[in-house]
């Protein structure tokens, strides 16, 4: 794996860990696609740093659990 890709993956991982942001928010922040962020985090990060991978996996699992709540709040704001 090229060094610039490793650097990008580490930056994305650090951003997610520090901000607890979602895949979509991270993609917007780094001006890349959601698919790229998802592939970097779910497939490539484990080969680079397993500790960060485990931390991010728990953050992502939490996002999945809260997804229905966030959607409801967004709809409520939209129609208020």
């Amino acid at each position: 794996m090229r060094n610039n890709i490793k650097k990008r993956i580490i930056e994305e991982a650090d951003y997610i860990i520090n901000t607890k942001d979602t895949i979509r928010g991270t993609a917007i922040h780094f001006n890349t696609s959601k698919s790229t962020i998802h592939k970097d985090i779910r497939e490539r990060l484990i080969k680079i740093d397993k500790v960060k991978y485990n931390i991010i996996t728990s953050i992502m699992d939490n996002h999945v659990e809260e997804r229905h709540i966030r959607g409801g709040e967004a709809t409520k704001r939209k129609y208020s």
Side-chain angles (χ1 to χ4, degrees):
M1 194 177 310
R2 290 185 282 171
N3 286 334
N4 59 343
I5 295 174
K6 284 183 182 179
K7 182 181 174 192
R8 180 187 74 208
I9 294 167
I10 296 299
E11 287 175 0
E12 293 166 354
D14 289 339
Y15 177 78
I16 292 172
I17 291 170
N18 292 331
T19 64
K20 307 278 191 271
D21 206 356
T22 61
I23 295 287
R24 181 174 292 189
T26 305
I28 291 169
H29 179 79
F30 286 98
N31 197 27
T32 60
S33 70
K34 293 185 300 181
S35 300
T36 300
I37 300 294
H38 202 277
K39 186 168 184 93
D40 287 349
I41 298 303
R42 290 291 188 183
E43 296 177 17
R44 296 177 178 149
L45 182 60
I46 195 167
K47 297 174 186 173
I48 298 171
D49 191 340
K50 291 182 182 180
V51 173
K52 287 184 181 182
Y53 175 81
N54 291 332
I55 294 169
I56 289 179
T57 299
S58 67
I59 292 170
M60 295 300 169
D61 291 344
N62 189 33
H63 288 165
V64 170
E65 291 174 7
E66 295 175 350
R67 179 173 42 199
H68 68 284
I69 296 169
R70 291 182 187 178
E73 290 173 355
T75 303
K76 185 177 178 180
R77 283 193 309 268
K78 181 178 178 179
Y79 292 107
S80 293

